[in-house]
Amino acid sequence: METYERAHLDMLRAHLSDCAVLLKSDGAFPLSSPCQLAAYGNGVRRTVKGGTGSGEVNSRFFVTVEQGLTEAGFTLTTGAWLDGYDAAYAQAKKSFLKRIRAEARARHESVFNYGMGKTMPEPEYDLPLDGAGEAAIYVLSRNSGEGSDRDPVPGDILLTNAETRDILTLNERFDRFMLVLNVGGPVDLGPVIKVKNILLLSQLGVETGAALADILLGKANPSGKLTTTWARWADYPTVGTFGDHDDTEYREGVYVGYRYFEAADKKPLFPFGFGLSYTAFALGSADVALHGGRVTCKVSVQNVGDRPGREVVQLYVSAPERGIDRPRQELAAFVKTKLLQPGETETVEASFELADCAAYDTARSAYMLSAGDYVLRTGNSSDSTRPAALLRLDQQILTLQAHPCFGEPGFQDWRPKPRQAEALPAGLPVLTVSADDIKTKAVPEEKPYEIVDTLRTLSDEELTFANVGAFASGLGALSVIGEASCHVAGAAGETTSRLEAAGIPPLVMADGPAGLRLSRRFYRDEKGSAHAVGQSTMPESVTELMGPVVKFFAQLVAGEKKPPKGAKVEEQYCTAIPIGTAIAQSWDLAFARQCGDIVGDEMERFGVHLWLAPALNIHRSIRCGRNFEYFSEDPLISGKMAAALTQGVQAHPGRGTTLKHFAANNQEYNRYGSNSRVSERALREIYLKGFGIAVRESQPKALMTSYNLINGVHTAQRRDLIEEVLRREFGFEGIVMTDWVLAFMDSKENRYPAVKQHLVAAAGGDLFMPGGKRDYDDILKGLRSGELTREQLLINASRLYRMARELTGTK
């Protein structure tokens, strides 16, 4: 192992428990020392470090739960059970892959397109629970991935009969029993909710198994908090639609996640922001102050237990309902304590701008703060908040005058019953907010972009090359990685190398978001191009679906070749960091920046300029197959975490992040042709808000649009989304690229036409990725027909020119 790998893993290991959430505890854990342990469940050996698809990271190794516990000194007494489960799993997997291939053939689809992201539900089994020990655990794993959504069936969102039976039996049989959840998103724990100890370990990257050993032994204290509400499956909202082929209706409007549960008066199993600890904390009263329109809140936190630990203080605001309905409360700020020793107290401080609590008034196309009392609440979960102060605004204030965008969804958003007046405690501090302290802003008018003069000499053909990713003739349209990056083996794609003489050096892009996805080993040919050795650059979850002939062809397209005699084989092992949801569960922005620093360091080492991450789409439904990549159901914590990761990466000169997927990308089913029908208010308050936070706080170098349409128009073709909101309202200064659009994604079954390359360029999209001859031809055709102007191509090329020179250090 290289020195950088060890340093990165050591940093992560010290903080992984901050991402794990202790959901239930009866004090039986932690254990005093390693012991005989009865370890059951599919996740003991088949531990999941992160989901499938673009987030798969080719690390040097991975510590499973079995390995982590054994290396920590535990003696596992359940080898026979684990062997029996392996046999049941292997048989089920064989049948599953055979079925997926047959279904793909019957639908006349490529197995890649049809099978991507599909994960096998866990099988039923009947194995004796004959392991002995001083304690027992059941590790429940679930996997999901890019290209397919989760299902409310046993073995996925629901527990299997075998899992329920064994978990309840072990809970009764052992005085010390813990259910460990190695999952990327919620499962319905209703049938086993009486289990005394439940730990959401999550999926923590390389050291997942080692992290569990640390937590069981009390070497680390779980201090994570939920960023998504956990409930029984039957209690999740059905107001909107999910999984329809062509149109997904976001009828729930702004009532997503905890906003819905509170509005509908439904009690979840575990609320947003919830998490226990091996120790206990007491929150003192809040000291609230106003500094203009900025609210600052100081809260003392004391560790009143007998173990070191960390706590999260969460600030929520309840806005008055005057003329527009509002959620009961919304997260406004948060802060995590340092590691507090028993008896130690720390006073933490969190702040926010009251203007950020404005609601979007569609009739006025403006963000508005209604007159009235804003109740500031403090707590350590959304279910534990208590009023701390009243922020009194004596007149309505328009905070931002915007412009109407996005069209109509074709329905009115669901609205709950008006909130009942709340009985507030006597003596609450009242702070009067002056209207003079909150300035009205307006979206800047569009200004002419300064075109790089030297680019005006380029031909139409050369300008077109600047607007598509690098490609060569032949098989480029079939490659998921842009006919393979020639500079870095396994990278997702590049910008063109054809225009270096014009001052535009190529940029190399690598997938994320759980670290860089590159080939582990590679060699360079006589032209300097990099080729993978001994491993396909495609995700393993995809290649296992392919037959040998298809797999050979895919590997050939992806650039994998046998190294010639005497070729130097080099390594580029990358670190798998925790999944996005787990990072957010730390509620620790400093840790997120450290994760970004790890990625930025490895980008420098291996020659990658842009990381295709972080991903910050909202957990609208727990069914979305890519939720593990995303942070939360709440836009504030999503935006803050994305900004922190970006800051960590971009602290390394010449390295940048790519925010994705912009926007309302909350379903994987038919993701290339799905139309998200969503109101402008919901878009602005929920689905776009996190992107705005991340842009303003970190200014990422790039942004990726999403595959889906919004109200009938592809996101990549929406000039209002890209120019009006992203560039002008949010102030984004980087380049905009599409997600990876390939010819085989087109489907005659879709209601809506496929995205058109020249319309993407006309909307202000700078790069059509990964790039192919078809993309080049369409842009050139649009230019010649007049649907796309040369001026717009020059603007797009100028943005690429400036970013490419900045990231490569070209003078």
Side-chain angles (χ1 to χ4, degrees), residues 743-780:
F744 69 78
M745 295 175 176
D746 295 349
S747 173
K748 295 180 180 179
E749 297 180 2
N750 288 339
R751 173 182 176 183
Y752 299 100
V755 65
K756 298 301 295 181
Q757 296 86 339
H758 69 282
L759 296 181
V760 170
D766 305 311
L767 285 169
F768 200 95
M769 297 298 294
K773 184 63 162 54
R774 183 183 75 152
D775 310 325
Y776 170 85
D777 288 344
D778 185 86
I779 292 176
L780 194 58

Side-chain angles (χ1 to χ4, degrees), residues 21-31 171 175-179 193-200 215-216 221-222 270 274-280 306-307:
V21 185
L22 188 61
L23 296 175
K24 292 189 70 178
S25 174
D26 68 351
F29 293 87
L31 304 172
N171 188 58
D175 291 333
R176 290 185 165 187
F177 170 69
M178 178 178 282
L179 171 60
I193 197 60
K194 70 178 183 179
V195 169
K196 298 181 288 289
N197 297 279
I198 304 177
L199 174 72
L200 172 56
I215 291 171
L216 291 179
N221 190 343
F270 303 105
F274 176 79
L276 301 175
S277 173
Y278 284 154
T279 190
D306 56 7
R307 289 182 175 274

